[in-house]
Amino acid sequence: MTTPALLPLSGRRIPTLSPGASSFTHHRATLRLSEKFILLLILSAFITLCFGAFFFLPDNSKHKRFDLGLEDVLIPHIDSPKEGKHGSGQVIIHGQGGHDENRHREEEESLRNKIRADHERALQEAKEKLRKSRKELKAEIQTEKAKVIEDLKKKEAGPKPLPPVPMPKVVGVSDGEPAEADVKERRDKIREMMKHAWDSYRQYGWGHNELKPLAKKGHSTNIFGNSQLGATIVDALDTLYIMGLHEEFKDGQEWIEQNLDFSVNAEVSVFEVNIRFIGGLLAAYYLSGQEMFKVKAVQLAEKLLPAFNTPTGIPWAMVNLKSGVGRNWGWASAGSSILAEFGTLHMEFVHLTYLTGNPVYYQKVMHIRKLLAKMDRPNGLYPNYLNPRTGRWGQHHTSLGGLGDSFYEYLLKAWLMSDKTDTEARKTYDDAIEAIERHLIRKSNGGLTFIGEWKNGHLERKMGHLACFAGGMFALGADGSPDDKAGHYLQLGAEIAHTCHESYDRTVLKLGPEAFKFDSGLEAVAVRQNEKYYILRPEVIETYWYMWRFTHDPKYRQWGWEAAKAIDKYCRVSGGFSGVKDVYSSNPTYDDVQQSFFLAETLKYLYLLFSTDDLMPFESWVFNTEAHPLPVLHLGNITLPGSENAKR
């Protein structure tokens, strides 16, 4: 919105000039441009002479102060394997030495000499400017103006065009209409729910990251920093396209083209921005063929790259899109990065290298894989925390739910996306799942198969809603599993789907809690109040869809329909859809958030569940962890820049 010119700025009124000041104002306005330029030069020379020390002092990060009471000796940090942007690899040990005193004096004298030289050079430049004629100064001004205009033209021209690459064969991106009337009716209902969610966001939260459907206004969380990046628009685009809601898709496309700008001073989650924004933009590009989506994805990817500037190459959890400064979540174990976050970049980054010809994206994710391959793993398990400075594991906590989940998913999907040529990814997945089955998967007294969490040598008999995605993952990975265990893993997927359905069925609202336990006589039931909420999550429905595709057992469609009806009954409000705080209460209260992943995942998986298998077929598409479909890359005929094959 344009600010009216007469509004006070920063809460202050604009001062008005007194009548006596008007003649001065008129005189000042008549000064020639060249005279103003000369006055500016004289003033800048004066400032340089008076305050030059402040301008020309070196960066404090590169030179230590030497007026400390005790001598400081720099020694290598034993925990830092190498230097990086965010850590010098050194620590200061106080109270040692005296042997560096001469070196310190020499460095101080060197600094003084540099400041003197800089002062003299600045003064000389100012004198030379003042000696020039008005004509010469005018010519210089014209030259500078021409340079500014040229720079603006380059900026307006946009980034260098991306190299042309063959578009992977995309099939089954629309239709999928079922023959059965009742199934078609259910699919139409899911489309209507999507339209209600989108239209509500369009009306009340347009351009904001998410929607508060009761307050009917925009909403955002710390994963997006203080930005308004339209997360719901980017996240929902491919769902709109697949559902045939092309007018809505066009509205989203226009907003992205005109408003989506990543040069904002916002600290964002690398993981969330990758899976929602880069994944969403790439999927929209492959589905629609619109080049703009690809360009935007690449622009954003470049903004994420500084997050990898750590001593180990394990990225920070957050990065400032403007400054490139990264850091980790304060609550993560001893400043660690999180397995599910740095392990959920592979799919998108491989596609970025494919589309741009720039090997850096592929190299970043392969470096992570190689580093993990060299590390010792307790009981063959991957802990959820890894320190990006030291390269050491943090707290020994392993989970197939939150903090760990999508790391394992992306190992399997890296193999699938490579047209099953990335055998290293498949082997890593198989080894990890074998350890998980040995240490984390158990049967309850009531016969329910669940996935617990390993904490410091102890199995916690609790399963999170997030872990319910694993039923679909086991089914997806069944074909190609070692030792002819395909049937075993398909059965394991079915058992997990059953357990997660029970977690829904044992609530009043028929919606699943955030986490549920298997001890003290309770099974698949939440115990703590802060685990009884449902925030429109997709993981259980995701598993129903995968199990339907692989078995065509009608119970999965029935279970999905039960969930859809419950969402429509208890989460729908006039301004969209909201999560609920207690699934065991017959009078639930709302959390007043319509999550972007509700449109990206939950409704998409439901729609696909009631569609035919030729809509988004598995042999052509692999879904990222935010349900954004990316095409299989038939890499037999393609060599990715930066890959091992490219070096030979």
Side-chain angles (χ1 to χ4, degrees), residues 526-539:
V527 176
R528 297 179 181 175
Q529 189 59 43
N530 65 357
E531 295 173 343
K532 294 181 178 180
Y533 61 86
Y534 173 70
I535 57 171
L536 307 172
R537 286 205 187 277
E539 290 78 21

Side-chain angles (χ1 to χ4, degrees), residues 412-471:
L412 173 63
K413 289 181 175 179
W415 175 69
L416 291 168
M417 198 180 74
S418 71
D419 199 22
K420 302 183 180 178
T421 59
D422 187 354
T423 53
E424 180 183 78
R426 176 76 215 208
K427 175 72 165 59
T428 308
Y429 168 80
D430 289 332
D431 292 346
I433 295 308
E434 185 183 339
I436 283 167
E437 192 170 6
R438 190 181 312 122
H439 296 287
L440 304 187
I441 297 178
R442 297 287 184 272
K443 254 197 191 343
S444 71
N445 293 335
L448 295 177
T449 301
F450 68 95
I451 308 169
E453 298 188 8
W454 190 264
K455 288 190 175 179
N456 296 314
H458 171 72
L459 182 70
E460 188 174 8
R461 297 172 67 85
K462 179 177 81 172
M463 184 171 176
H465 192 291
L466 288 164
C468 284
F469 92 98

